[in-house]
Amino acid sequence: QVQLVESGGGLVQPGGSLRLSCAASGSILSIYKVHWYRQAPGKQRELVAFITSIGSTNYVDSVKGRFTISRDNAKNTVYLQMNNLKPEDTAVYYCKVFKSGVDYWGQGTQVTVSS
């Protein structure tokens, strides 16, 4: 079992920054690949970024150069630093871990970018 809790969302103006956190319990997060997804109203959920157990990262093209995924193994937490936010980044952001054939999701955190 993996329990994931996202936090750090909120309302921010265009060009602003937020840092999302994905805190895990029930499993050691460092041994898993951790994904950040987002879902905007009326759209499908899309993969934003992931980080592997050895620290390799990957990003969707629309966030490259603006978002950074990282992990703090001591805190069993993965972060998504989001800079230069745009209105099109508005969505509910979720973290996900795939373990033993099961996808574990958090409850999501709302990010709204608006002036």
Side-chain angles (χ1 to χ4, degrees):
Q1 282 280 16
V2 182
Q3 292 82 43
L4 302 172
V5 178
E6 301 97 336
S7 61
L11 173 63
V12 63
Q13 292 186 341
S17 297
L18 286 173
R19 188 179 77 159
L20 306 184
S21 299
C22 172
S25 59
S27 287
I28 300 173
L29 206 55
S30 62
I31 66 174
Y32 298 106
K33 186 178 184 180
V34 179
H35 307 75
W36 279 101
Y37 282 78
R38 65 186 179 187
Q39 188 166 21
K43 294 189 176 181
Q44 288 189 331
R45 194 170 293 191
E46 68 165 345
L47 176 62
V48 175
F50 65 78
I51 184 167
T52 69
S53 59
I54 60 170
S56 299
T57 60
N58 203 356
Y59 303 89
V60 68
D61 285 346
S62 60
V63 309
K64 283 181 180 176
R66 301 188 297 121
F67 290 11
T68 303
I69 189 171
S70 62
R71 64 197 318 157
D72 184 334
N73 293 336
K75 294 183 178 180
N76 213 27
T77 299
V78 168
Y79 302 99
L80 186 68
Q81 177 67 44
M82 306 186 296
N83 298 328
N84 191 22
L85 283 161
K86 303 176 180 181
E88 52 263 42
D89 296 317
T90 295
V92 179
Y93 284 71
Y94 301 88
C95 59
K96 188 201 82 170
V97 168
F98 180 75
K99 175 187 175 184
S100 302
V102 178
D103 281 332
Y104 292 91
W105 295 87
Q107 83 290 350
T109 186
Q110 175 71 48
V111 172
T112 303
V113 185
S114 174
S115 55

